Amino acid sequence: MAADKVDPIHQFHINKIFPLDVGGYDLSFTNSSLFMVVVVVLAGAFFYFATSRRALVPSRWQSSAELLYEFTASMLKDAAGPQGMRFFPFVFSIFMFVLAANLLGLFPYFFTITSHIIVTFALAMLVIGIVVVYGFYKHGLGFLKLFVPSGVPLVLMPLVVGIEVISFLSRPISLSVRLFANMLAGHITLKVFAGFVVSLSAMGAVGIAGSVMPLAMAVAITALELLVAALQAYVFAILTCMYLADAVHPGH
């Protein structure tokens, strides 16, 4: 147990709560699964109670819900135009899921689901999958205009198209790694400084005096992590809006 308290990687371990094996596939309900459910329930409960009494003079909770709603709507409309608003439920849901997951992971002993690449990659593939499916559904082969920028000389067209295709295929990787890496690195750094505080405090008066600096760093990193949690949710959402804009308007 003592080793776990100072092990910065222990917080990312996947633990089975209800083991389940179906046809050789591990479908166990884990701590990651549990916190995904918790995130959805908390986010849903927040909006339910915030908007249950839709007053003319909004309460603080209602104002917060309306601010998040208007912020997401404005972000999507600016990126994809009025036609992109058909994706608002999806963008709003994914923004709130990532934001709630990031913030919930800041609490001690809570699990940060966005610190696992499999979760962020699944979200990124969902975004790209919707872009591709809707793009071909709405525009047919005209969606391929996305890879053919206008005004490019014919001799450079094969090179430019190749670059555009590689750029498109790298989107789910960059989208998922950005969120995963930021959450992972921040939590490891915070745990390391917190471990310094615990270790130094066990050394007596001299150690307690020496733990002041790591403690101050831990507090500062916690504040920074709060900013990063919100910023990464915004970055994930705004990139989602930009990718959806390509499905709505594939022409450059």
Side-chain angles (χ1 to χ4, degrees):
M1 291 298 293
D4 289 345
K5 293 180 180 179
V6 296
D7 180 10
I9 305 299
H10 180 75
Q11 59 184 314
F12 306 114
H13 288 179
I14 300 291
N15 302 315
K16 296 181 181 179
I17 299 177
F18 300 111
L20 178 63
D21 186 88
V22 178
Y25 292 95
D26 189 358
L27 302 179
S28 302
F29 188 80
T30 65
N31 53 343
S32 179
S33 307
L34 173 62
F35 277 93
M36 288 184 194
V37 174
V38 171
V39 165
V40 172
V41 170
L42 288 180
F46 166 74
F47 283 101
Y48 175 79
F49 288 110
T51 59
S52 59
R53 298 179 179 179
R54 292 183 290 274
L56 184 61
V57 179
S59 63
R60 293 181 179 179
W61 292 107
Q62 182 179 337
S63 296
S64 300
E66 291 177 354
L67 181 63
L68 289 168
Y69 180 95
E70 293 172 359
F71 175 76
T72 308
S74 176
M75 178 171 53
L76 179 58
K77 189 176 294 184
D78 291 343
Q83 294 179 348
M85 290 302 294
R86 66 189 64 190
F87 295 107
F88 175 79
F90 170 70
V91 175
F92 186 68
S93 298
I94 205 167
F95 172 64
M96 289 307 307
F97 179 83
V98 174
L99 178 62
N102 290 352
L103 294 177
L104 196 66
L106 295 176
F107 288 88
Y109 304 107
F110 280 40
F111 189 84
T112 310
I113 57 179
T114 49
S115 64
H116 281 257
I117 186 65
I118 187 62
V119 175
T120 59
F121 186 72
L123 293 174
M125 286 303 297
L126 176 62
V127 172
I128 300 302
I130 289 177
V131 169
V132 173
V133 171
Y134 180 81
F136 280 110
Y137 167 77
K138 186 68 176 179
H139 306 284
L141 294 179
F143 177 66
L144 297 178
K145 293 179 181 178
L146 178 65
F147 307 110
V148 186
S150 60
V152 177
L154 187 60
V155 67
L156 295 177
M157 190 62 70
L159 176 62
V160 173
V161 170
I163 293 174
E164 290 289 336
V165 171
I166 294 174
S167 175
F168 184 84
L169 295 177
S170 67
R171 285 180 176 183
I173 299 175
S174 61
L175 189 62
S176 58
V177 170
R178 182 183 294 104
L179 176 59
F180 146 76
N182 276 278
M183 302 310 299
L184 181 73
H187 281 61
I188 289 178
T189 305
L190 181 60
K191 192 65 177 284
V192 167
F193 279 100
F196 286 159
V197 174
V198 174
S199 300
L200 290 173
S201 298
M203 298 172 61
V206 176
I208 293 175
S211 67
V212 173
M213 183 61 69
L215 178 61
M217 288 297 298
V219 173
I221 292 173
T222 301
L224 179 62
E225 277 293 277
L226 182 63
L227 175 63
V228 169
L231 182 61
Q232 287 304 313
Y234 166 74
V235 170
F236 198 96
I238 191 64
L239 288 176
T240 297
C241 293
M242 293 174 63
Y243 298 158
L244 290 171
D246 289 337
V248 177
H249 310 288
H252 284 244

